[in-house]
Amino acid sequence: MPRYFVIYKPFGVMSQFSGEDRTLGELGDFPGDVYPVGRLDKDSEGLLLITDDKPLNHYLLNPRFGHKRTYLAQVEGVPTDEAISDLQSGVEIKVDGKMHFTKKATATLLSLSPTLPDRDPPIRYRKNVPDSWIQLTLIEGKNRQVRKMTAAVGFPTLRLVRWSMENLTIEGFEVGEVKEFEQQEIYRLLKIQPEKLFPKGSNMNKSHNRNKNRR
């Protein structure tokens, strides 16, 4: 059976297991054949799913399936209603050297700062420059998309935390914490039907059904 690990990736850690910088290997003793589903930049934090489930990896990274990813972004300044509206309807950003108009999103200016673990190192405080938090839900995942989107509407991102993928969240996690999940629970939280990933009669499909019947 595939294995599934959900981690709260800390700031400054690369979304990979090898390299000269800090890597995921310092967070736990993972099996040798697992890998991150998607990436979080070194300077971003939050939810990262690590697995050896190749069909799931393909499904989550395929843009035509459009699963929801929710981010909490601390931005410089206080976004206007117009800026929030632009984030929701779509903005133009550069991706791989070409201009890309982002898909419709859900954006909310939070009235209170979210309850999150402190970042190490903390965001540099500037007395004369206010900051605020935006909750942004996307159905696509371009490189550094949230940062590019908030910059495009005039409010650069200071801190970025991926909070959830569909109903899978890092609520209650400490920074660097790792939790292992069963396949059925991961699929339920990600709102994925196994039959969409595994052809009927395949070994993976049979394995999933055996686990389901044991419950």
Side-chain angles (χ1 to χ4, degrees):
M1 282 296 296
R3 298 181 70 181
Y4 306 86
F5 301 90
V6 175
I7 73 171
Y8 187 135
K9 188 191 84 66
F11 176 86
V13 173
M14 302 290 288
S15 295
Q16 58 195 47
F17 286 102
S18 61
E20 297 181 358
D21 295 322
R22 297 176 63 197
T23 68
L24 299 174
E26 71 179 57
L27 303 181
D29 185 16
F30 297 97
D33 53 354
V34 298
Y35 46 87
V37 177
R39 306 179 78 80
L40 278 177
D41 298 323
K42 181 179 178 180
D43 51 356
S44 298
E45 312 159 59
L47 190 155
L48 192 62
L49 174 62
I50 299 174
T51 183
D52 54 357
D53 186 336
K54 293 182 179 179
L56 177 62
N57 180 71
H58 175 264
Y59 181 90
L60 292 177
L61 296 183
N62 191 323
R64 74 185 181 92
F65 294 118
H67 71 281
K68 295 179 181 178
R69 311 162 174 88
T70 296
Y71 298 83
L72 299 172
Q74 183 182 16
V75 299
E76 186 178 285
V78 181
T80 61
D81 290 343
E82 181 181 7
I84 294 296
S85 178
D86 287 344
L87 289 173
Q88 294 190 97
S89 59
V91 296
E92 206 169 35
I93 62 175
K94 185 173 286 189
V95 178
D96 297 329
K98 299 178 181 180
M99 299 310 296
H100 169 76
F101 197 80
T102 61
K103 294 183 179 181
K104 288 186 176 181
T106 301
T108 305
L109 177 62
L110 301 180
S111 57
L112 298 174
S113 299
T115 302
L116 294 169
D118 292 335
R119 201 192 80 170
D120 182 20
I123 296 295
R124 183 167 63 91
Y125 174 73
R126 291 191 289 176
K127 184 178 180 179
N128 298 321
V129 181
D131 61 69
S132 54
W133 284 87
I134 297 173
Q135 180 173 298
L136 191 61
T137 300
L138 310 179
I139 57 169
E140 59 180 340
K142 303 299 183 183
N143 183 41
R144 298 179 71 84
Q145 181 169 340
V146 172
R147 295 180 185 277
K148 292 176 181 178
M149 289 177 69
T150 65
V153 297
F155 300 90
T157 292
L158 302 173
R159 182 183 180 189
L160 183 61
V161 180
R162 181 158 62 193
W163 177 253
S164 67
M165 297 165 62
E166 294 291 357
N167 291 334
L168 178 64
T169 81
I170 51 169
E171 183 175 6
F173 277 63
E174 297 295 331
V175 175
E177 185 172 355
V178 179
K179 293 183 181 180
E180 186 168 6
F181 286 73
E182 296 293 333
Q183 184 186 71
Q184 187 174 358
E185 181 69 357
I186 283 287
Y187 279 35
R188 181 184 71 80
L189 292 170
L190 292 175
K191 299 182 180 180
I192 294 174
Q193 298 175 355
E195 54 268 26
K196 289 186 177 181
L197 303 188
F198 311 127
K200 189 173 181 180
S202 70
N203 290 334
M204 288 293 288
N205 186 278
K206 292 176 181 177
S207 180
H208 175 84
N209 287 334
R210 282 198 300 270
N211 275 329
K212 183 175 181 181
N213 292 334
R214 290 191 190 112
R215 293 179 179 271

